Amino acid sequence: MSRQDFPRRLRLLTAGEYRQVFDNAVYKVHGKGLMALAIPNDLGHPRLGLIVSKKNLRRAVDRNRLKRLARESIRLQQQRLPAVDIVLMARRGVKELDNEVLHLQLHGMWRRLEREASKAAVDDQPGTGTPSANASQGG
């Protein structure tokens, strides 16, 4: 049976870890009211950091609900996700989403991130004859 918990090793904990993701984001995945930035890591598992501002969700109960749902979503999908550091940010419009819609948004975002990371891994392998994802983006 696989582990389905959410220990500290699955979290971004320091400002430096967040800064690393912001400065070097390789993957950018959008959802309604949400955006995730991610960079590959060498840890063999994904890590999640959350940014939920009062500007986008005024009430603490709403901010905590979003964080709880995001953690639960990543906890359930951690076996499928590539080894990346993810910063999930709440954006305008997230307060209109109910729990079910948020769950579906997050699940779709993790699938897109998984697809982008696996595509980049295939593109970066030598001998495939395809340019890397970074070369096609111009930087």
Side-chain angles (χ1 to χ4, degrees), residues 61-78:
V61 66
D62 295 328
R63 292 192 302 275
N64 291 336
R65 175 182 66 98
L66 175 59
K67 289 190 256 186
R68 188 174 58 251
L69 288 169
R71 288 183 190 118
E72 178 71 2
S73 177
I74 202 90
R75 184 186 72 80
L76 295 173
Q77 296 293 320
Q78 66 183 331

Side-chain angles (χ1 to χ4, degrees), residues 13-78:
L13 299 172
T14 66
E17 293 170 342
Y18 279 84
R19 175 63 46 208
Q20 186 77 17
V21 175
F22 279 115
D23 291 344
N24 305 307
V26 176
Y27 310 111
K28 186 185 271 190
V29 181
H30 295 273
K32 181 170 173 45
L34 299 168
M35 182 173 74
L37 301 174
I39 60 169
N41 69 34
D42 297 327
L43 301 173
H45 57 80
R47 294 192 303 172
L48 177 68
L50 299 166
I51 298 177
V52 185
S53 69
K54 283 185 182 179
K55 180 180 177 183
N56 293 319
L57 286 171
R58 180 68 55 202
R59 299 181 324 159
V61 66
D62 295 328
R63 292 192 302 275
N64 291 336
R65 175 182 66 98
L66 175 59
K67 289 190 256 186
R68 188 174 58 251
L69 288 169
R71 288 183 190 118
E72 178 71 2
S73 177
I74 202 90
R75 184 186 72 80
L76 295 173
Q77 296 293 320
Q78 66 183 331

Side-chain angles (χ1 to χ4, degrees), residues 4-5 15 20 23 42 48-49 60 63 82 85-86 89 98 103 108 116-117 138:
Q4 292 292 315
D5 55 351
Q20 186 77 17
D23 291 344
D42 297 327
L48 177 68
R63 292 192 302 275
D85 289 345
I86 305 164
M89 295 180 287
D98 63 10
H103 178 73
E116 281 186 34

Side-chain angles (χ1 to χ4, degrees), residues 29-36 50-52 57 66 70 87-94 97 101-107 109-110 112:
V29 181
H30 295 273
K32 181 170 173 45
L34 299 168
M35 182 173 74
L50 299 166
I51 298 177
V52 185
L57 286 171
L66 175 59
V87 173
L88 181 68
M89 295 180 287
R91 300 176 71 194
R92 206 172 321 133
V94 72
L97 305 178
V101 173
L102 269 171
H103 178 73
L104 291 172
Q105 283 286 336
L106 289 165
H107 185 72
M109 288 173 70
W110 305 146
R112 286 193 303 275

Side-chain angles (χ1 to χ4, degrees), residues 110-129:
W110 305 146
R111 279 200 334 247
R112 286 193 303 275
L113 179 61
E114 178 186 8
R115 198 167 35 243
E116 281 186 34
S118 64
K119 180 179 177 246
V122 168
D123 288 349
D124 288 340
Q125 287 180 354
T128 58

